[in-house]
């Protein structure tokens, strides 16, 4: 849906430097509120900055984390 909006120039992106750590922490916090029973470990360089729309980045990361919560065994990491 977003791709079709982007192709039709109806999706406005605000692309710029976006810290990945902020997107990860926000997405993990929201996912844990809804799914709860998993422990999340974040490793790697937390200072990475990507060129992206911060709101879309959070949505993408949250979808990935939600899928991991949904399809992982209860109490898994």
């Amino acid at each position: 849906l977003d791709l079709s909006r982007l192709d039709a120039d109806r999706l406005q992106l605000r692309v710029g430097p976006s810290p990945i750590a902020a997107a990860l922490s926000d997405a993990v916090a929201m996912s844990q509120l809804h799914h709860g029973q998993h422990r999340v470990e974040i490793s790697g360089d937390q200072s990475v900055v990507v060129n992206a729309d911060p709101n879309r980045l959070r949505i993408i990361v949250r979808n990935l984390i939600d899928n991991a919560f949904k399809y992982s065994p209860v109490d898994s990491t």
Side-chain angles (χ1 to χ4, degrees):
L1 186 59
D2 283 345
L3 286 176
S4 65
R5 287 184 188 144
L6 190 58
D7 286 340
D9 290 328
R10 292 188 328 228
L11 179 63
Q12 298 296 318
L13 297 176
R14 291 187 171 91
V15 177
S18 302
I20 196 71
L24 286 171
S25 63
D26 289 351
V28 168
M30 291 301 294
S31 293
Q32 285 180 323
L33 283 175
H34 291 98
H35 301 284
Q37 299 175 336
H38 296 279
R39 186 176 63 236
V40 176
E41 292 180 11
I42 299 173
S43 63
D45 187 354
Q46 297 295 305
S47 66
V48 172
V49 175
V50 296
N51 194 33
D53 180 310
N55 293 325
R56 293 291 168 184
L57 180 60
R58 282 184 180 86
I59 291 168
I60 291 166
V61 172
R62 171 116 189 259
N63 285 338
L64 291 170
I65 292 171
D66 280 347
N67 283 338
F69 274 56
K70 187 175 180 180
Y71 296 107
S72 298
V74 174
D75 295 327
S76 65
T77 302

